[in-house]
């Protein structure tokens, strides 16, 4: 079970919507900078971002940083990136294929995290 968190962002898109990916990472990173714990949950088509190096090609340009750089900083500052297990199955992605830094969760975990968070941003 993932730890509780102050801030949750759910991300439903992948590199087909680079702006939403960038905003999710930027806002979650800002929450960490402000002293809050932060979590990003990949759901629906967003689970494709759980594959290794999936963030590497996402860069919407200034004033935003490239997604891979934002992800690195997010993870280094203690952010947690979680992946919907049912969404992985629905998209035909094996659990063993995802980035080892990310944790797989279920619907109950999503509800618990969102309900216990102080704030959230839903990018759907």
């Amino acid at each position: 079970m993932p730890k509780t968190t102050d801030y949750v962002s759910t991300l439903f898109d992948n590199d087909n919507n680079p702006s939403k990916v960038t905003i999710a990472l930027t806002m979650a990173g800002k929450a960490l900078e402000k002293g809050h714990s932060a979590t990003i949950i990949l759901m629906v088509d967003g689970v494709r971002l759980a594959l290794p190096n999936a963030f590497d090609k996402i860069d919407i340009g200034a004033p935003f940083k490239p997604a891979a750089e934002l992800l690195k900083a997010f993870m280094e500052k203690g952010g947690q990136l979680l992946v919907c297990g049912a969404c992985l199955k629905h998209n035909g992605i094996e659990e063993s294929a995802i980035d080892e830094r990310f944790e797989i969760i279920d619907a109950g975990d999503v509800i618990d995290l969102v309900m216990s968070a102080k704030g959230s941003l839903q990018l759907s």
Side-chain angles (χ1 to χ4, degrees):
M1 171 65 183
K3 64 183 180 183
T4 59
T5 190
D6 294 337
Y7 172 86
V8 173
S9 182
T10 57
L11 181 57
F12 289 39
D13 290 289
N14 54 41
D15 60 356
N16 65 341
N17 196 328
S19 293
K20 284 186 180 179
V21 173
T22 302
I23 295 303
L25 288 165
T26 299
M27 299 305 283
K30 186 56 72 177
L32 290 171
E33 287 175 20
K34 294 179 83 50
H36 303 287
S37 56
T39 300
I40 296 173
I41 304 173
L42 301 178
M43 300 179 71
V44 191
D45 295 328
V47 298
R48 296 188 187 285
L49 293 171
L51 296 170
N53 306 312
F55 290 88
D56 290 357
K57 297 177 186 173
I58 301 172
D59 185 356
I60 63 172
F64 297 99
K65 294 179 181 175
E69 186 178 329
L70 292 167
L71 175 65
K72 182 178 187 236
F74 175 74
M75 300 299 288
E76 287 175 352
K77 291 178 182 170
Q80 64 178 349
L81 199 144
L82 307 174
V83 185
C84 170
C87 299
L88 282 174
K89 288 178 188 165
H90 179 75
N91 281 280
I93 299 171
E94 295 291 327
E95 290 184 8
S96 61
I98 72 166
D99 188 313
E100 63 186 24
R101 298 173 294 173
F102 307 160
E103 182 180 344
I104 297 169
I105 60 172
D106 63 25
D109 296 327
V110 173
I111 297 302
D112 290 344
L113 286 164
V114 171
M115 296 303 291
S116 66
K118 294 177 184 175
S120 66
L121 179 64
Q122 313 310 314
L123 293 156
S124 54

